[in-house]
Amino acid sequence: MSKFFEEFKAFAMRGNVIDLAVGVVIGGAFNNIVNSLVGDLIMPAVGILLGGVNFTGFKVILRHAKVEGGQIVSPEVALNYGNFIQVVLNFIIVAFAIFLLVKGINSLHKKKAEEPAAVPDDVKLLTEIRDLLKEKEEPVPNQK
């Protein structure tokens, strides 16, 4: 049984698992930001452009709620396609933000890769020696 826990510990402590956990936590927080951006800023503006329409209220009622004596006996059954539109918009914004983030990180990696690495002094010296030896060599006549 201890081998099982040792394997689990090795798995859980690998860099990829930790990175994934951090990504999930940050992604959850980012999701709240995007939901607020869409729900509080973008959708009201889109609603005004469309004549004061609130997307979350769009729905197709399949069965009306049954009310008896002021109490709801059976709740309403509806297809909330307006909410679906908002969720799709959230997804598009999150996907676009992640695209920009990955694009930025890739450009940083590309710039870093383009920078020439510093050549160590011993390699410089050996290169100079090689070049000097090439200069001193006499060409060998063509032998047949």
Side-chain angles (χ1 to χ4, degrees):
M1 193 63 148
S2 67
K3 184 177 179 183
F4 175 80
F5 287 116
E6 288 175 20
E7 288 179 20
F8 177 73
K9 180 180 176 185
F11 167 77
M13 299 312 278
R14 286 184 11 211
N16 293 344
V17 174
I18 305 273
D19 292 343
L20 179 63
V22 169
V24 167
V25 170
I26 290 175
F30 186 68
N31 186 42
N32 291 337
I33 292 169
V34 170
N35 284 338
S36 176
L37 173 70
V38 172
D40 299 333
L41 299 176
I42 294 175
M43 293 309 283
V46 170
I48 288 173
L49 291 174
L50 296 176
V53 177
N54 181 2
F55 277 104
T56 56
F58 288 180
K59 61 184 172 182
V60 174
I61 299 173
L62 300 176
R63 186 179 71 203
H64 290 281
K66 291 184 182 176
V67 180
E68 292 179 6
Q71 296 286 342
I72 298 176
V73 176
S74 169
E76 173 184 86
V77 177
L79 300 176
N80 297 313
Y81 67 92
N83 195 35
F84 177 75
I85 291 171
Q86 185 160 345
V87 170
V88 168
L89 189 58
N90 283 7
F91 171 78
I92 291 170
I93 292 170
V94 170
F96 184 69
I98 291 172
F99 167 75
L100 292 177
L101 180 69
V102 170
K103 186 173 172 79
I105 290 171
N106 286 342
S107 69
L108 289 176
H109 283 295
K110 185 177 178 182
K111 286 180 184 177
K112 187 176 181 181
E114 289 174 357
E115 294 176 7
V119 179
D121 290 336
D122 57 344
V123 174
K124 286 180 186 177
L125 182 61
L126 288 171
T127 304
E128 289 175 14
I129 293 171
R130 181 199 65 200
D131 293 343
L132 288 171
L133 288 174
K134 280 184 180 179
E135 287 176 7
K136 287 186 177 183
E137 285 182 2
E138 294 181 24
V140 178
N142 236 351
Q143 296 178 359
K144 288 188 180 181

